[in-house]
Amino acid sequence: MSANRPRSFFHYCITPVILLCPLIAQARLNVVATLPDFGSLVREIGRDRIDLVVLGKPNEDPHFVEPRANFVGALRSADVLIDGGAGLELGWLPPLLQKARNPKLEVGKPGRVQAAHDIRLLDIPTKVTGAAGDAHPRGNPHFTVDPLVAEAVAQHIAKSLAAVDPANAAFYDANYKKFETTINTKLPLWRGVLRDLQDQHVAAYHDSWPYFSHRFGLKIDIFLEPNPGIPPSASQLSDVIQKMKRDHVRAIMVEPYQDRRIVDTLARSTQAKVVECSQFPGVSGTDSYVSLMNQLVKRLADVAK
């Protein structure tokens, strides 16, 4: 056709349609994750095929996330919600879901992904009373700090996204396999770095670490809180100091939202080092699950030197 030949009316009508087709085909899933660990894992799987909103901040107590103005709107427009499924968000998530009124996110629907699915939870209490603080009747909900549990959660997320978005199923599965390979490569390295801590007791403000302890053979077994979520009294802190001195504790783990003043007081009384740590990516330069674990392992290992 001559370069000077005028284009037809049909050409001008159909061209915009052709240009718009790729945009329609690339529509992304709207995904909401309750907490940054779940957000990090779904980001590994969904990458550029999802738009992600994470409700909790990495420096915020996951038991008491403060609702913000965009939460209900994000849940209302979500195709997928990823929550823990072990009661960690029980105090703040249900009222938000009630306001959002999104049937896609009801338990049992494909759009509701509960991370604890098929996870063997630890520390299931035999009896729960009002004085038990944050004792969760379903078991300890801080399970993603075990890399193999995180790997299982990532696999569950990949299968769930594929069920909602089958056109991208192969993409989600391929990303899960990359993540699985990375974890399986890093795990023996992390174990090696932590080897010198395996015979030492470690203290922590809150019992966030049983899965981490179990995976790496550590003894994180002295807690500042008398019960999870209940602040320690002066007499209880005195007992903790005695236990720390008895067991020659060299490290106290503290998360960003916990009372650092109490931890510093105990460190001065026991000569232990404070280990600033988090179960959530997004703090102290960590932007992924693997970078979080790299930092956590290194900071604990540095105490043992």
Side-chain angles (χ1 to χ4, degrees):
M1 184 173 69
S2 169
N4 296 323
R5 182 176 177 179
R7 295 180 177 179
S8 67
F9 175 77
F10 175 80
H11 174 89
Y12 285 106
C13 289
I14 199 66
T15 299
V17 176
I18 294 172
L19 292 175
L20 285 173
C21 285
L23 298 179
I24 295 172
Q26 292 174 5
R28 298 179 178 185
L29 283 181
N30 290 322
V31 179
V32 174
T34 54
L35 297 170
D37 50 348
F38 307 138
S40 174
L41 294 175
V42 73
R43 194 177 289 113
E44 294 277 356
I45 305 304
R47 297 186 181 269
D48 61 354
R49 308 295 166 89
I50 66 171
D51 286 322
L52 176 63
V53 174
V54 180
L55 302 183
K57 296 179 180 178
N59 60 352
E60 193 170 26
D61 188 337
H63 301 88
F64 307 106
V65 169
E66 181 180 352
R68 287 177 278 279
N70 67 317
F71 282 11
V72 171
L75 289 166
R76 187 174 289 141
S77 61
D79 301 303
V80 175
L81 168 64
I82 303 172
D83 70 312
L88 183 57
E89 309 98 322
L90 197 58
W92 56 272
L93 181 61
L96 295 172
L97 288 171
Q98 188 174 15
K99 290 180 181 178
R101 299 183 181 278
N102 184 344
K104 295 179 183 178
L105 310 185
E106 295 174 1
V107 174
K109 295 293 181 66
R112 183 66 173 270
V113 182
Q114 297 197 295
H117 174 78
D118 282 347
I119 301 299
R120 185 176 68 87
L121 297 178
L122 302 177
D123 300 341
I124 299 174
T126 56
K127 183 178 180 181
V128 178
T129 67
D134 293 330
H136 298 276
R138 301 175 196 173
N140 191 298
H142 305 283
F143 46 79
T144 58
V145 286
D146 177 345
L148 290 187
V149 171
E151 186 181 294
V153 172
Q155 184 178 38
H156 178 47
I157 289 172
K159 290 179 178 178
S160 299
L161 293 185
V164 176
D165 180 22
N168 284 309
F171 177 81
Y172 300 136
D173 183 60
N175 289 336
Y176 161 68
K177 287 176 179 174
K178 290 178 186 175
F179 182 72
E180 178 188 38
T181 298
T182 300
I183 293 298
N184 291 346
T185 300
K186 296 286 289 186
L187 187 56
L189 302 177
W190 290 329
R191 281 186 173 133
V193 173
L194 289 172
R195 186 175 295 114
D196 290 341
L197 265 179
Q198 289 185 348
D199 293 327
Q200 299 182 31
H201 292 270
V202 176
Y205 194 101
H206 180 81
D207 190 9
S208 302
W209 308 102
Y211 300 89
F212 185 85
S213 301
H214 174 75
R215 181 58 55 202
F216 293 105
L218 305 184
K219 298 177 181 177
I220 307 174
D221 54 3
I222 298 175
F223 306 105
L224 278 59
E225 295 174 330
N227 286 302
I230 296 178
S233 66
S235 63
Q236 287 157 348
L237 288 176
S238 178
D239 290 341
V240 171
I241 290 172
Q242 290 181 19
K243 291 178 183 177
M244 290 178 64
K245 289 180 176 180
R246 178 197 67 198
D247 293 335
H248 307 288
V249 171
R250 298 168 61 184
I252 309 172
M253 300 173 70
V254 60
E255 298 175 70
Y257 54 86
Q258 293 161 353
D259 194 333
R260 179 61 186 263
R261 294 170 300 175
I262 293 176
V263 175
D264 287 340
T265 298
L266 261 67
R268 287 192 297 268
S269 300
T270 61
Q271 304 303 309
K273 294 181 181 179
V274 176
V275 180
E276 294 181 345
C277 55
S278 177
Q279 56 190 299
F280 300 129
V283 296
S284 303
T286 60
D287 59 359
S288 68
Y289 181 83
V290 170
S291 66
L292 173 73
M293 293 301 299
N294 283 338
Q295 183 186 91
L296 177 58
V297 167
K298 182 181 184 304
R299 288 186 175 182
L300 280 169
D302 285 346
V303 175
K305 291 179 180 178

